[in-house]
Amino acid sequence: MIEILRLGHRINRDTRISSHVALVARALNADKLYYTGQKDSSMEKSVMDVVDRFGGSFNIEYIKNYKDILKNKKIIHLTVYGMPLKDKITEIKSYKDILIIVGGEKVPGEIYNLADVNLSVGNQPHSEVAALGIFLYELSNSKFSEFKDANLRIIPMEKAKKIEKKT
Ligand SMILES: C[S@@+](CC[C@H](N)C(=O)[O-])C[C@H]1O[C@@H](n2cnc3c(N)ncnc32)[C@H](O)[C@@H]1O
């Protein structure tokens, strides 16, 4: 089980980036996104619309307190200050259920202590979307999710858009 926790969502300001965190998670084999901060039904709806059309069972849930979901999981906190991905990825691949924490504007200090691994994806500050995508791609051995129940399937084309609809 791969779950993500996105901290400190702000309506309007973070709607696009948090929905991208969710879509990247879904495309790279994660099962669920939890988020804290402000509950944002329209962000949740935009993610679940993709799930309805393109398949799978990815889910999204607003939680008030992240402490409620930390039990029985290995906690991986993505932070520019952490240990390098290449040094930790083999160990992390042996974990069964993981919770990946990505920050927003300000990450509470206690997150660094409660994490089993503070993990950096390169040592430059960039983005939660990029950090999550690169980490999940490595964790998934370069394999993207496949959804057998999809209503819509994108067919790769050199120079056209082709979408197949389930009959
Ligand atoms: C734009 S950063 C802001 C960080 C915030 N200023 C703080 O208090 O740490 C948002 C999130 O992107 C992720 N992030 C950015 N650069 C990263 C890197 N090089 N490696 C891992 N995660 C990174 C972290 O999860 C971070 O919390």
Side-chain angles (χ1 to χ4, degrees):
M1 178 77 89
I2 302 175
E3 296 176 329
I4 320 296
L5 167 62
R6 196 273 193 273
L7 296 171
H9 174 81
R10 296 159 298 176
I11 290 178
N12 295 331
R13 237 189 120 137
D14 293 329
T15 296
R16 203 169 146 78
I17 204 147
S18 295
S19 70
H20 287 187
V21 166
L23 294 180
V24 164
R26 173 186 171 272
L28 282 158
N29 306 295
D31 300 282
K32 180 162 185 171
L33 175 88
Y34 296 97
Y35 70 102
T36 62
Q38 294 181 302
K39 180 166 169 60
D40 187 342
S41 304
S42 111
M43 186 272 289
E44 291 182 23
K45 187 179 175 309
S46 75
V47 173
M48 295 317 291
D49 281 351
V50 173
V51 176
D52 285 346
R53 288 181 295 145
F54 290 95
S57 56
F58 188 82
N59 207 351
I60 181 163
E61 184 180 338
Y62 171 75
I63 50 168
K64 280 215 165 101
N65 189 340
Y66 58 76
K67 288 179 185 148
D68 296 345
I69 58 156
L70 302 179
K71 269 195 203 135
N72 304 322
K73 293 164 195 173
K74 286 286 191 180
I75 314 285
I76 317 294
H77 170 218
L78 298 183
T79 167
V80 68
Y81 305 107
M83 297 302 291
L85 173 64
K86 68 172 173 34
D87 294 355
K88 289 284 177 184
I89 189 71
T90 307
E91 175 191 331
I92 294 171
K93 279 181 183 175
S94 72
Y95 298 162
K96 196 165 165 273
D97 295 318
I98 68 169
L99 180 73
I100 304 163
I101 303 182
V102 297
E105 193 187 31
K106 179 112 187 77
V107 175
E110 68 172 5
I111 296 287
Y112 292 81
N113 290 324
L114 63 80
D116 293 287
V117 183
N118 287 296
L119 190 75
S120 61
V121 179
N123 54 9
Q124 299 297 323
H126 45 79
S127 142
E128 49 272 53
V129 178
L132 182 66
I134 293 167
F135 171 53
L136 286 176
Y137 190 70
E138 286 287 321
L139 188 67
S140 307
N141 300 315
S142 318
K143 282 211 170 72
F144 286 91
S145 313
E146 285 179 19
F147 301 111
K148 294 210 160 56
D149 63 339
N151 289 316
L152 298 179
R153 193 176 301 281
I154 294 170
I155 313 299
M157 301 292 286
E158 290 282 1
K159 287 188 182 180
K161 286 185 189 173
K162 189 168 177 184
I163 300 184
E164 198 175 75
K165 277 190 188 161
K166 203 176 188 177
T167 47

